[in-house]
Amino acid sequence: RVEVCLNGVWGTVCGDFWSTNDAVVVCNQLNISSANAIALGSAYFGPGTGVINMDNVFCSGSEEQLTDCTFSETHNCAHSEDASVICIDTQSNCTDGEVRLVGGQNYTEGRVELCVSGEWGTVCDDLWGDSEAQVVCRQLGLVSEGSIGVGSATYGQGVGLIHIDDVQCDGDESDLFACSYTTNHNCIHAEDAGVQCVGLGSECTHGDVNLIGGSNYTEGRVEVCINGYWGTVCDDSWT
């Protein structure tokens, strides 16, 4: 959800006329790639509280900050119309074939995301089941026996690409790309596949850090590996 500071007060932006050009400006202002910026309305990330600072925002996409665009400080909106953006990092930040879990309450569950050609994307849940979940969990170094495959974006909807569909595994494959699948799909992100792995699996590498429970890989509860075991970090003096 986009919030902007006007006259020393944080407030939301009404979604009237909210567009991709507006999202581009927000992402650029935050120093995040705007190449695939997505504009969202209807309080997609939840309604804000307090004041609504801007309405009827019109940007060309070249402005340095949102307040350089045309807008009105008066509005006829409710917080159910709050505007949001998704900024997608287009830099290659993964290795082809890599898999991760996003949106779960811990590192053993979440929405399945795969790296293809340097870009993260989701998996459609058509034909998705426990055998496919076993392969994902094994690939992540977690216990595969008893793994559960879930669909219908149980762990939230992803953004961007849907890499594969109609995945069918025997359950003993070493990675998901060893299974049968198609790169053509008829899916939307409401069909994103997820898994629930059982048990702690293999020990972690000392010093590794994970973000757990966020809606994407840029946010979440901090967990760190110390002496082969994952644990959380206390927030005393955390800044």
Side-chain angles (χ1 to χ4, degrees):
R1 182 180 63 246
V2 177
E3 298 197 358
V4 61
C5 181
L6 288 185
N7 303 315
V9 179
W10 285 104
T12 62
V13 178
C14 183
D16 292 345
F17 303 110
W18 190 249
S19 70
T20 299
N21 283 345
D22 308 326
V24 165
V25 173
V26 171
C27 295
N28 284 336
Q29 186 173 348
L30 293 169
N31 294 318
I32 305 173
S33 172
S34 62
N36 295 301
I38 300 172
L40 300 164
S42 302
Y44 185 89
F45 291 106
T49 58
V51 298
I52 297 173
N53 273 339
M54 302 173 72
D55 190 16
N56 299 330
V57 179
F58 289 96
C59 301
S60 68
S62 61
E63 294 85 353
E64 292 186 0
Q65 55 187 25
L66 198 61
T67 52
D68 292 336
C69 303
T70 300
F71 68 93
S72 173
E73 292 188 47
T74 59
H75 68 85
N76 59 347
C77 306
H79 281 298
S80 60
E81 303 171 74
D82 283 345
S84 300
V85 303
I86 296 174
C87 307
I88 302 176
D89 190 351
T90 59
Q91 295 181 346
S92 176
N93 55 9
C94 59
T95 302
D96 283 5
E98 190 176 357
V99 64
R100 68 183 181 188
L101 303 182
V102 178
Q105 289 303 305
N106 59 63
Y107 67 95
T108 67
E109 64 178 18
R111 180 177 65 251
V112 177
E113 297 196 352
L114 290 172
C115 181
V116 176
S117 301
E119 294 187 72
W120 288 107
T122 62
V123 178
C124 184
D125 66 3
D126 293 343
L127 307 180
W128 188 257
D130 294 348
S131 294
E132 290 69 42
Q134 289 177 20
V135 175
V136 171
C137 296
R138 180 180 299 108
Q139 187 173 350
L140 290 168
L142 300 171
V143 174
S144 61
E145 185 177 355
S147 301
I148 300 171
V150 296
S152 303
T154 296
Y155 294 102
Q157 297 183 31
V159 296
L161 298 172
I162 298 174
H163 279 321
I164 59 176
D165 188 15
D166 296 333
V167 183
Q168 290 185 287
C169 304
D170 294 328
D172 56 2
E173 293 88 351
S174 60
D175 62 78
L176 207 55
F177 286 115
C179 303
S180 170
Y181 63 90
T182 177
T183 55
N184 298 316
H185 69 84
N186 59 349
C187 305
I188 58 176
H189 282 295
E191 301 171 78
D192 283 343
V195 301
Q196 298 170 358
C197 306
V198 179
L200 299 178
S202 60
E203 294 183 348
C204 52
T205 301
H206 187 81
D208 281 354
V209 173
N210 264 332
L211 298 181
I212 303 299
S215 61
N216 60 64
Y217 69 96
T218 67
E219 63 182 19
R221 180 180 68 253
V222 177
E223 297 198 357
V224 61
C225 178
I226 300 292
N227 298 323
Y229 294 94
W230 288 106
T232 60
V233 179
C234 183
D235 66 2
D236 291 348
S237 303
W238 188 257
T239 60

